[in-house]
Amino acid sequence: MKIMLNEKSHFVSSGTTAFQLRDEVKPDADIVVFNGFIVKEDYPLKDGDKITLIKRGEIPSQEEMESLLVARHTPGVHESVKKAFVGIAGLGGLGSNVAVSLARLGIGRLLLIDFDIVEPSNLNRQQYFINHIGMPKTEALKELIAQINPFVEVETKDAYLDSTNIKEVFSDVDIIVEAFDNPQSKAELVNIVLQSLPNKPIVAASGMAGYFSNNLITTKKIRENFYLVGDDTSEAKPGSGLMAPRVGIAANHQANMVLRLILGEKDI
């Protein structure tokens, strides 16, 4: 029967177990991942199962690396996300976190768009480091993603998005993530996408300021191809700032909605 061993087809005899395969192929492996889950007890293998064998602390070859990066994925996820192309408008608290989550998923292609540079007040919630201060956010995030998952193809645009360029910029992507911090820019992007690119799903966010309850942040399906994350009310304003915890929660709501859409799940 055929299984996947480190993301490659491998044939084993009926009755072979996960630990027997480890002992045969990589006896020094101390981590056995069976269908996305690290196992401590042996399991009989079935046709189509996925096994990843890892020796703790060993730096894998370039050829092995990608398969090991996705070893903990639910089976079937990697094959779909590898084909996906996602555009992210804005690389601040929302956009940088969404991009990193999608990169860790092994997304095939990312289009990252922002016109700004990294400055110190960004570091309380955005995925940048002190050494990125002064760099364009596009360049800094591309550098970070290369350190997380070098198999992600990253395209960048240092541009201000408005009614003159939104349709053209996102014409080739599969899914759009709205990640601006300006309410007017958010509304403009969403409205133009819904009107001019109606077949492309857009995942937007609004309402994640302050330190209000985690559980007020939800994902809603507003209409076909339009999803909105947030608590609807907690906008950033004097006395209510933007901080890593709630911004990260909202961003990962967006990233998970993107993953669900890639996998064909259109409901929230």
Side-chain angles (χ1 to χ4, degrees), residues 105-144:
L105 278 172
I107 202 85
R109 294 169 67 194
L110 284 175
L111 173 60
L112 307 178
I113 307 150
D114 202 297
F115 66 93
D116 207 355
I117 62 171
V118 179
E119 48 93 354
S121 72
N122 298 153
L123 304 190
N124 81 328
R125 65 195 185 284
Q126 303 182 16
Q127 288 281 349
Y128 307 107
F129 298 125
I130 287 173
N131 65 298
H132 292 131
I133 291 173
M135 289 176 63
K137 290 183 177 179
T138 50
E139 184 181 332
L141 194 54
K142 185 174 183 177
E143 179 183 289
L144 275 172

Side-chain angles (χ1 to χ4, degrees), residues 83-87 170 172-176 199-201:
K83 300 173 185 171
F85 186 18
V86 177
F170 291 111
D172 292 333
V173 306
D174 302 317
I175 301 170
I176 299 164
N199 296 322
K200 294 188 188 293

